[in-house]
Amino acid sequence: MKNIAIVGSLAFTLSGCTTLGVMQANETIPAGGIRKVDFYSALHEDCSSMGEPTVRISQQPQHGHLEIKPGKDYSRFTKTNPRNVCNKMPTQSAQLWYKPDSGYTGTDTFSVLIIYPDNGTRSRNYTIHVI
């Protein structure tokens, strides 16, 4: 069963030092599996990587486990962003994976702090619905 609903997902790519505030995300996933819930990358306008962002877990989930892994993902820049051409190729990223505890169904929450190579930061709160 594949059931995902992501609300408010953005490409987390930056240039210039900035603090971007707190964002919220909701996702529904099936019980018993592991799922990539997000990824973070930092790209220059020529699509070269600024380096992999550092992801710190600021609040652990109560009913599951998180894993942060390096990976490659397609960015999601809007058409008005000069980096939208980067959306056509996979780029270096830090991936966030969630696995619910065995037999658990219900809601779980956790938070991460993303620190970009230019020292910009973003906090992200997640609500996971395990069905």
Side-chain angles (χ1 to χ4, degrees):
M1 173 192 331
K2 248 188 174 177
N3 184 7
I4 292 183
I6 299 175
V7 177
S9 181
L10 298 173
F12 297 106
T13 53
L14 300 175
S15 69
C17 183
T18 184
T19 299
L20 298 172
V22 178
M23 299 199 56
Q24 303 285 333
N26 294 292
E27 186 163 343
T28 301
I29 66 170
I34 185 169
R35 180 68 52 89
K36 179 174 65 174
V37 294
D38 218 339
F39 71 91
Y40 317 96
S41 61
L43 301 177
H44 294 285
E45 285 191 21
D46 67 358
C47 302
S48 63
S49 175
M50 295 171 70
E52 188 176 300
T54 300
V55 181
R56 294 189 181 145
I57 301 166
S58 48
Q59 177 192 336
Q60 291 283 349
Q62 297 294 308
H63 306 286
H65 305 284
L66 296 174
E67 185 176 356
I68 299 160
K69 302 190 239 187
K72 290 201 173 238
D73 290 279
Y74 289 87
S75 57
R76 300 171 293 221
F77 291 105
T78 64
K79 289 182 180 184
T80 58
N81 189 306
R83 291 180 198 89
N84 72 37
V85 296
C86 306
N87 296 350
K88 298 175 185 176
M89 64 191 92
T91 56
Q92 178 183 349
S93 67
Q95 299 176 341
L96 179 65
W97 293 77
Y98 172 82
K99 181 178 182 181
D101 290 339
S102 180
Y104 178 75
T105 58
T107 301
D108 205 356
T109 60
F110 56 88
S111 300
V112 298
L113 173 68
I114 305 101
I115 305 165
Y116 292 93
D118 65 357
N119 292 320
T121 61
R122 176 173 302 223
S123 293
R124 180 100 176 180
N125 300 324
Y126 294 84
T127 300
I128 303 293
H129 306 283
V130 182
I131 58 172

